[in-house]
Amino acid sequence: MSKRFKVVVTDFLTHPPDTEERVLGDLARVEVLRAHHEDDLLGRIEDADAVMIYHCLRFTEKSIARLDRCKLIVRCGVGYDNVDWAYARTRGIPVANVPDYGTEEVADSAIGLTLALTRGIALLNSQLRCGAVDWSYKHAAPLGRLRGRVFAIIGLGRIGSATALRAKALGMDVAYYDPYAPDGRDKSLGVRRVESLEELLAQAHVVSAHCPLTAETRHIMRRETIEQMPTGSYLVNTSRGAVVDTSAIPGAIASGQLAGAGIDVLEHEPPPADDPLVSAWRDPRHPAHHRVLVNPHTAFYSEEGLTDMRVKGAEACRRALVGLPLRNVVN
Ligand code: NAD
């Protein structure tokens, strides 16, 4: 078969497209566009037969309207809130995601953040390193035993379920709120379903967010909902930044409402210099300095996961180009 198709990788990828070419090379030429903004795509995507997009760009009507012969837009990742999938549907262009490349990595990271916070590991390391305290476990007090405490999950999908199994292995009492999960998931995983967010938050030792970003989940954790958690509990977010209003965290840490927070994702990435959470976390005089962990949207990352994401994204394009049934279509 000749290379009669063109596939573009719009953003994120800075490597040559060697992995994508191993999957698509006999069919298509693969162009890496390294765009930082949608406007960088002008004149470069119009004749693409398939588009691979990561999370560094918004892909709106403005770009989608210019696609003349696109058979698939694939979001090489889980969350597709940066693609106007509803508009793509009106143009007859399917949008698919790559849902499973990093399920275990994100779950491992959520549990990693949980353990670093609830066992006092991050707090003591941070205080000791800057000479703020003497050589004693007491500076992490009071720490409770994890066994039997409630690990509260918002959104029991792929990653929420993988995290639930890990929290169960720690002996935690796993509960979840997910109004859209079908009946029975609680039984297959041996965890507890609760019917309202309020009920979940009131009993949580740790709240871990694993829902998509939607109009309903935007700022689902904010000052009012954090105040529904017990004093001295913990908040972990490895889902999407805007699921948590992080401007509420410094105050909640200062008041003792939260004993710690683990934040892998922010509403604006990278964050502006005056971001309230990041400013407090960088300030050695603010209690958030020792009690908050911030990572640069890295929970998905492992070398194997990154390869899976690229291979599976390219395989989705291949199926679209040769006319095979598509998988993981979200629109
Ligand atoms: P999924 O679609 O398998 O699961 C999401 C679950 O959230 C579903 O069960 C859904 O019913 C539930 N949900 C939807 N609306 C809800 C609401 N209002 N309240 C409670 N639950 C709700 O998705 P997943 O693969 O498990 O991914 C979960 C999240 O992790 C997504 O936000 C995704 O973007 C994010 N993610 C982050 C990283 C990272 O590196 N930090 C990597 C991959 C995925």
Side-chain angles (χ1 to χ4, degrees), residues 55 75 77-81 97-103 105-106 109 153-161 177-182 185 197 209-218 220 237-241 243 264-265 269 296-301:
H55 60 269
R75 223 320 257 138
V78 179
Y80 45 88
D81 46 277
N97 67 351
V98 177
D100 64 336
Y101 71 93
T103 306
E105 283 82 354
V106 181
S109 293
I153 294 177
I154 304 175
L156 196 82
R158 286 172 295 264
I159 295 169
S161 301
Y177 165 70
D178 186 332
Y180 305 108
R185 229 176 248 177
L197 182 65
H210 298 289
C211 51
L213 176 62
T214 63
E216 228 175 26
T217 63
R218 179 176 292 277
I220 195 167
N237 186 18
T238 56
S239 63
R240 272 285 179 273
V243 165
D264 181 61
V265 281
E269 294 172 351
H297 197 146
T298 196
F300 72 94
Y301 171 64

Coordinates of all heavy atoms in Angstrom, one line a residue, residues 55 75 77-81 97-103 105-106 109 153-161 177-182 185 197 209-218 220 237-241 243 264-265 269 296-301, ligand 1:
H55 N -2.9 16.7 25.5 CA -3.7 17.5 26.4 C -3.2 19.0 26.4 O -3.6 19.7 27.2 CB -3.6 16.9 27.8 CG -2.3 16.8 28.4 ND1 -1.5 15.6 28.2 CD2 -1.5 17.6 29.0 CE1 -0.3 15.8 28.7 NE2 -0.3 17.0 29.3
R75 N -7.9 11.3 20.9 CA -7.3 12.0 22.1 C -6.4 10.9 22.7 O -6.9 10.0 23.3 CB -8.4 12.4 23.0 CG -8.4 13.7 23.6 CD -7.1 14.3 24.1 NE -7.0 14.2 25.6 CZ -5.9 13.8 26.2 NH1 -4.8 13.5 25.6 NH2 -5.9 13.7 27.5
G77 N -5.1 9.8 25.3 CA -5.2 10.0 26.7 C -6.7 9.7 27.1 O -7.5 9.3 26.2
V78 N -7.0 9.9 28.4 CA -8.3 9.6 28.9 C -9.3 10.7 28.7 O -10.3 10.6 28.0 CB -8.3 9.1 30.3 CG1 -9.7 8.8 30.8 CG2 -7.3 8.0 30.5
G79 N -9.0 11.9 29.3 CA -10.0 13.0 29.4 C -10.0 13.7 28.0 O -9.0 14.0 27.4
Y80 N -11.2 13.9 27.5 CA -11.3 14.5 26.1 C -12.0 15.9 26.2 O -12.6 16.4 25.3 CB -12.1 13.6 25.2 CG -13.3 12.9 25.7 CD1 -14.5 13.5 25.7 CD2 -13.2 11.7 26.4 CE1 -15.6 12.9 26.2 CE2 -14.3 11.1 27.0 CZ -15.5 11.7 26.9 OH -16.6 11.1 27.4
D81 N -12.0 16.5 27.4 CA -12.6 17.8 27.6 C -12.0 18.9 26.8 O -12.6 20.0 26.7 CB -12.7 18.2 29.1 CG -11.3 17.9 29.8 OD1 -11.1 16.8 30.2 OD2 -10.6 18.9 29.9
N97 N -10.9 8.1 22.5 CA -9.8 8.4 23.4 C -9.0 7.1 23.5 O -9.3 6.1 22.9 CB -10.3 8.9 24.8 CG -11.2 7.8 25.6 OD1 -11.5 6.8 25.0 ND2 -11.5 8.2 26.8
V98 N -7.9 7.1 24.3 CA -7.1 6.0 24.6 C -7.3 5.8 26.1 O -6.6 6.4 26.9 CB -5.6 6.2 24.2 CG1 -4.8 5.0 24.6 CG2 -5.5 6.5 22.7
P99 N -8.2 4.9 26.5 CA -8.7 5.0 27.9 C -7.8 4.3 28.9 O -7.8 4.5 30.1 CB -10.0 4.3 27.9 CG -10.1 3.5 26.7 CD -9.1 4.1 25.7
D100 N -6.9 3.4 28.5 CA -6.3 2.4 29.5 C -4.8 2.4 29.6 O -4.3 1.6 30.3 CB -6.8 1.0 29.2 CG -6.3 0.5 27.8 OD1 -6.0 1.4 27.0 OD2 -6.2 -0.7 27.6
Y101 N -4.1 3.4 28.9 CA -2.7 3.3 28.8 C -2.0 3.5 30.2 O -0.9 3.0 30.5 CB -2.1 4.4 27.9 CG -2.3 5.7 28.5 CD1 -1.3 6.3 29.2 CD2 -3.5 6.4 28.3 CE1 -1.4 7.5 29.8 CE2 -3.7 7.6 28.9 CZ -2.7 8.2 29.7 OH -2.8 9.4 30.3
G102 N -2.7 4.2 31.1 CA -2.1 4.6 32.4 C -2.9 4.3 33.6 O -2.7 4.9 34.7
T103 N -3.9 3.4 33.5 CA -4.8 3.1 34.6 C -4.0 2.8 35.9 O -4.3 3.3 36.9 CB -5.7 1.9 34.2 OG1 -6.4 2.3 33.0 CG2 -6.8 1.7 35.3
E105 N -0.8 3.2 36.6 CA 0.1 4.3 37.0 C -0.6 5.3 37.8 O -0.2 5.8 38.9 CB 0.8 4.9 35.8 CG 1.9 4.1 35.2 CD 1.4 3.1 34.2 OE1 0.2 2.8 34.1 OE2 2.3 2.4 33.6
V106 N -1.8 5.8 37.3 CA -2.5 6.8 38.0 C -3.0 6.3 39.4 O -2.9 7.0 40.4 CB -3.7 7.3 37.2 CG1 -4.5 8.4 38.0 CG2 -3.3 7.9 35.9
S109 N -0.1 6.3 41.7 CA 0.2 7.6 42.1 C -0.8 8.1 43.2 O -0.4 8.8 44.2 CB 0.2 8.6 40.9 OG 1.3 8.3 40.1
I153 N -13.9 7.6 47.3 CA -13.6 7.8 45.9 C -14.7 8.5 45.2 O -15.9 8.1 45.4 CB -13.3 6.4 45.2 CG1 -12.1 5.7 45.8 CG2 -13.3 6.5 43.7 CD1 -11.8 4.4 45.3
I154 N -14.4 9.6 44.5 CA -15.4 10.2 43.7 C -15.2 9.7 42.2 O -14.2 10.1 41.6 CB -15.2 11.8 43.7 CG1 -15.3 12.3 45.2 CG2 -16.3 12.4 42.9 CD1 -15.1 13.8 45.3
G155 N -16.0 8.9 41.7 CA -15.9 8.3 40.4 C -15.2 7.0 40.3 O -14.0 6.9 40.3
L156 N -16.1 5.9 40.3 CA -15.5 4.6 40.3 C -15.5 4.0 38.9 O -16.2 3.0 38.6 CB -16.3 3.7 41.3 CG -15.6 2.4 41.7 CD1 -14.6 2.6 42.8 CD2 -16.6 1.3 42.1
G157 N -14.6 4.6 38.1 CA -14.4 4.0 36.7 C -13.2 3.2 36.7 O -12.9 2.5 37.7
R158 N -12.5 3.2 35.6 CA -11.2 2.4 35.5 C -10.2 2.7 36.6 O -9.8 1.8 37.3 CB -10.6 2.6 34.1 CG -11.3 2.0 33.0 CD -10.7 2.4 31.7 NE -10.8 3.9 31.5 CZ -11.8 4.4 30.8 NH1 -12.7 3.6 30.1 NH2 -12.0 5.7 30.7
I159 N -9.9 4.0 36.7 CA -8.8 4.4 37.7 C -9.3 4.3 39.1 O -8.6 3.8 40.0 CB -8.2 5.8 37.3 CG1 -7.5 5.7 35.9 CG2 -7.3 6.2 38.4 CD1 -7.2 7.1 35.4
G160 N -10.6 4.8 39.3 CA -11.2 4.7 40.6 C -11.2 3.2 41.1 O -10.9 3.0 42.3
S161 N -11.5 2.3 40.2 CA -11.6 0.9 40.6 C -10.2 0.3 41.0 O -10.0 -0.4 42.0 CB -12.2 0.0 39.5 OG -13.5 0.5 39.2
Y177 N -18.7 7.5 45.6 CA -19.9 8.1 45.1 C -19.7 8.2 43.6 O -18.7 8.8 43.1 CB -20.0 9.5 45.7 CG -21.0 10.4 45.0 CD1 -22.3 10.2 45.1 CD2 -20.5 11.5 44.2 CE1 -23.2 11.0 44.4 CE2 -21.4 12.3 43.5 CZ -22.8 12.0 43.6 OH -23.6 12.8 42.9
D178 N -20.7 7.7 42.9 CA -20.6 7.7 41.4 C -22.0 7.5 40.9 O -22.5 6.4 40.8 CB -19.7 6.6 40.9 CG -19.5 6.7 39.4 OD1 -20.4 7.2 38.7 OD2 -18.5 6.3 38.9
P179 N -22.8 8.6 40.6 CA -24.2 8.5 40.3 C -24.4 7.7 38.9 O -25.5 7.3 38.6 CB -24.6 9.9 40.2 CG -23.4 10.8 40.0 CD -22.3 10.0 40.6
Y180 N -23.3 7.6 38.1 CA -23.5 7.0 36.8 C -23.0 5.6 36.8 O -23.1 4.9 35.7 CB -22.8 7.8 35.8 CG -23.3 9.3 35.8 CD1 -22.5 10.3 36.3 CD2 -24.6 9.5 35.4 CE1 -23.0 11.6 36.4 CE2 -25.1 10.8 35.5 CZ -24.3 11.8 36.0 OH -24.8 13.1 36.1
A181 N -22.3 5.1 37.8 CA -21.8 3.7 37.8 C -23.0 2.7 37.8 O -23.9 2.9 38.6 CB -20.9 3.4 39.0
P182 N -22.9 1.7 37.0 CA -24.0 0.7 37.0 C -24.1 -0.1 38.4 O -23.0 -0.2 39.0 CB -23.7 -0.3 35.9 CG -22.3 -0.1 35.6 CD -21.9 1.3 36.0
R185 N -21.1 -2.8 40.7 CA -19.6 -2.6 40.7 C -19.1 -2.8 42.2 O -18.0 -3.3 42.5 CB -19.3 -1.3 40.2 CG -18.2 -1.3 39.2 CD -17.9 0.1 38.6 NE -18.3 0.1 37.2 CZ -18.3 1.2 36.4 NH1 -17.9 2.4 36.9 NH2 -18.7 1.1 35.2
L197 N -22.8 12.7 47.6 CA -21.4 13.2 47.8 C -21.3 13.6 49.3 O -20.3 13.4 50.0 CB -21.1 14.4 46.9 CG -19.7 15.0 47.0 CD1 -18.7 14.1 46.6 CD2 -19.6 16.3 46.2
A209 N -10.2 11.9 44.0 CA -11.1 12.2 42.9 C -10.6 11.5 41.6 O -9.4 11.5 41.3 CB -11.1 13.7 42.6
H210 N -11.6 10.8 41.0 CA -11.3 10.0 39.8 C -12.4 10.1 38.8 O -12.7 9.2 38.0 CB -11.1 8.5 40.2 CG -9.9 8.3 41.1 ND1 -8.6 8.4 40.7 CD2 -9.9 8.0 42.4 CE1 -7.8 8.2 41.7 NE2 -8.5 8.0 42.8
C211 N -13.1 11.3 38.8 CA -14.2 11.5 37.8 C -13.6 12.3 36.6 O -12.6 12.9 36.7 CB -15.3 12.3 38.5 SG -14.7 13.7 39.4
P212 N -14.4 12.3 35.5 CA -14.0 13.2 34.4 C -14.3 14.6 34.8 O -15.1 14.9 35.7 CB -14.9 12.7 33.3 CG -16.1 12.1 33.9 CD -15.6 11.6 35.2
L213 N -13.8 15.6 34.0 CA -14.2 17.0 34.2 C -15.4 17.2 33.3 O -15.3 17.1 32.1 CB -13.0 17.9 33.8 CG -13.3 19.4 33.8 CD1 -13.7 19.9 35.2 CD2 -12.2 20.2 33.2
T214 N -16.5 17.6 34.0 CA -17.7 17.9 33.3 C -18.3 19.1 34.0 O -17.8 19.6 35.0 CB -18.8 16.8 33.4 OG1 -19.1 16.6 34.8 CG2 -18.2 15.4 32.9
A215 N -19.4 19.7 33.4 CA -20.0 20.8 34.0 C -20.4 20.5 35.5 O -20.3 21.3 36.4 CB -21.3 21.2 33.2
E216 N -20.8 19.2 35.7 CA -21.2 18.8 37.1 C -20.0 18.6 38.0 O -20.2 18.8 39.2 CB -21.8 17.4 36.9 CG -23.1 17.2 37.6 CD -23.7 15.8 37.2 OE1 -23.0 14.9 36.9 OE2 -24.9 15.8 37.2
T217 N -18.9 18.2 37.5 CA -17.8 17.9 38.4 C -16.8 19.1 38.6 O -15.9 19.0 39.4 CB -17.0 16.7 38.0 OG1 -16.4 17.0 36.7 CG2 -17.8 15.4 37.9
R218 N -17.0 20.1 37.7 CA -16.1 21.3 37.9 C -16.2 21.9 39.3 O -17.3 22.1 39.7 CB -16.4 22.4 36.8 CG -15.6 23.6 36.9 CD -16.0 24.6 35.8 NE -15.6 24.1 34.5 CZ -14.4 24.2 34.0 NH1 -13.4 24.8 34.6 NH2 -14.1 23.6 32.8
I220 N -16.2 20.4 42.0 CA -17.0 19.6 42.9 C -16.4 19.6 44.3 O -17.1 19.6 45.3 CB -17.1 18.1 42.3 CG1 -18.3 17.4 43.0 CG2 -15.9 17.3 42.4 CD1 -18.7 16.1 42.3
N237 N -6.0 14.6 44.4 CA -6.6 14.8 43.0 C -5.6 14.4 42.0 O -4.6 15.1 41.7 CB -7.1 16.2 42.8 CG -7.8 16.3 41.4 OD1 -8.3 15.3 40.9 ND2 -8.0 17.5 40.9
T238 N -5.9 13.3 41.3 CA -5.2 12.9 40.1 C -6.1 12.8 38.9 O -5.7 12.2 37.9 CB -4.6 11.5 40.3 OG1 -5.6 10.5 40.6 CG2 -3.5 11.4 41.4
S239 N -7.3 13.5 39.0 CA -8.2 13.4 37.8 C -8.0 14.6 36.8 O -7.1 14.5 36.0 CB -9.6 13.4 38.3 OG -10.0 14.6 39.0
R240 N -8.7 15.6 37.0 CA -8.5 16.8 36.2 C -8.4 18.0 37.1 O -9.2 18.1 38.1 CB -9.7 17.0 35.2 CG -9.6 16.3 33.9 CD -8.5 17.0 33.0 NE -8.3 16.4 31.7 CZ -7.5 15.4 31.5 NH1 -6.7 14.9 32.5 NH2 -7.3 14.9 30.3
G241 N -7.6 19.0 36.8 CA -7.3 20.1 37.7 C -8.6 20.8 38.2 O -8.8 21.0 39.4
V243 N -11.5 19.9 38.7 CA -12.4 19.1 39.6 C -12.3 19.7 41.0 O -13.2 19.7 41.8 CB -12.0 17.6 39.5 CG1 -12.7 16.8 40.6 CG2 -12.5 17.1 38.1
D264 N -2.0 16.4 41.7 CA -1.2 16.1 40.5 C -1.6 16.9 39.3 O -0.8 17.1 38.4 CB -1.5 14.6 40.1 CG -0.7 14.2 38.9 OD1 0.6 14.3 38.9 OD2 -1.3 13.8 37.9
V265 N -2.8 17.5 39.4 CA -3.4 18.2 38.2 C -3.9 19.6 38.7 O -4.5 19.7 39.8 CB -4.5 17.4 37.5 CG1 -3.9 16.3 36.7 CG2 -5.4 16.8 38.6
E269 N -2.3 24.5 33.6 CA -1.0 23.9 33.6 C -0.1 24.3 32.4 O -0.5 24.3 31.3 CB -1.2 22.3 33.5 CG -1.9 21.8 34.7 CD -2.4 20.3 34.5 OE1 -2.2 19.8 33.4 OE2 -2.8 19.7 35.5
P296 N 3.5 17.8 38.4 CA 3.2 18.5 37.1 C 2.4 17.5 36.2 O 2.9 17.2 35.1 CB 4.5 18.8 36.6 CG 5.4 17.8 37.1 CD 4.9 17.4 38.4
H297 N 1.2 17.1 36.6 CA 0.3 16.2 35.8 C 1.1 15.0 35.3 O 1.3 14.8 34.1 CB -0.2 17.0 34.6 CG -1.4 16.3 33.9 ND1 -2.4 17.0 33.4 CD2 -1.7 15.0 33.8 CE1 -3.3 16.1 32.9 NE2 -2.9 14.9 33.1
T298 N 1.6 14.3 36.3 CA 2.5 13.2 36.0 C 2.1 11.8 36.4 O 2.8 10.8 36.2 CB 3.9 13.6 36.7 OG1 4.9 12.9 36.2 CG2 3.8 13.4 38.2
A299 N 0.8 11.7 36.9 CA 0.4 10.5 37.5 C 0.3 9.4 36.4 O 0.5 8.2 36.7 CB -1.0 10.6 38.1
F300 N 0.1 9.7 35.2 CA 0.0 8.7 34.1 C 1.3 8.1 33.7 O 1.4 7.1 33.1 CB -0.6 9.4 32.8 CG 0.4 10.3 32.2 CD1 1.2 9.9 31.2 CD2 0.5 11.7 32.6 CE1 2.1 10.7 30.6 CE2 1.5 12.5 32.0 CZ 2.3 12.0 31.0
Y301 N 2.4 8.8 34.1 CA 3.7 8.6 33.4 C 4.4 7.3 33.9 O 4.7 7.1 35.0 CB 4.6 9.8 33.6 CG 6.0 9.5 33.1 CD1 6.3 9.3 31.8 CD2 7.1 9.4 34.0 CE1 7.5 9.0 31.4 CE2 8.3 9.1 33.6 CZ 8.6 8.9 32.2 OH 9.8 8.6 31.8
Ligands
NAD1 P1 -13.6 6.5 33.6 O1 -14.5 7.1 32.6 O2 -13.3 5.1 33.5 O3 -14.3 6.8 35.1 C1 -14.8 8.0 35.5 C2 -15.9 7.7 36.4 O4 -16.4 8.9 37.0 C3 -17.1 7.0 35.8 O5 -17.5 5.8 36.5 C4 -18.2 8.0 35.8 O6 -19.5 7.4 36.0 C5 -17.8 8.8 37.1 N1 -18.5 10.1 37.1 C6 -18.9 10.9 36.1 N2 -19.5 12.0 36.6 C7 -19.5 11.9 37.9 C8 -19.9 12.7 39.0 N3 -20.6 13.9 38.7 N4 -19.7 12.4 40.3 C9 -19.1 11.2 40.5 N5 -18.6 10.4 39.6 C10 -18.8 10.7 38.3 O7 -12.3 7.4 33.6 P2 -10.9 6.9 34.2 O8 -10.1 6.3 33.1 O9 -11.0 6.2 35.4 O10 -10.2 8.4 34.4 C11 -10.6 9.1 35.6 C12 -10.0 10.5 35.6 O11 -8.6 10.5 35.6 C13 -10.4 11.4 34.4 O12 -10.6 12.7 34.8 C14 -9.1 11.4 33.6 O13 -9.0 12.6 32.8 C15 -8.0 11.4 34.7 N6 -6.7 11.0 34.3 C16 -5.6 11.6 34.8 C17 -4.4 11.3 34.5 C18 -3.2 11.9 35.1 O14 -2.1 11.8 34.6 N7 -3.3 12.6 36.2 C19 -4.2 10.2 33.6 C20 -5.3 9.6 33.0 C21 -6.5 9.9 33.4

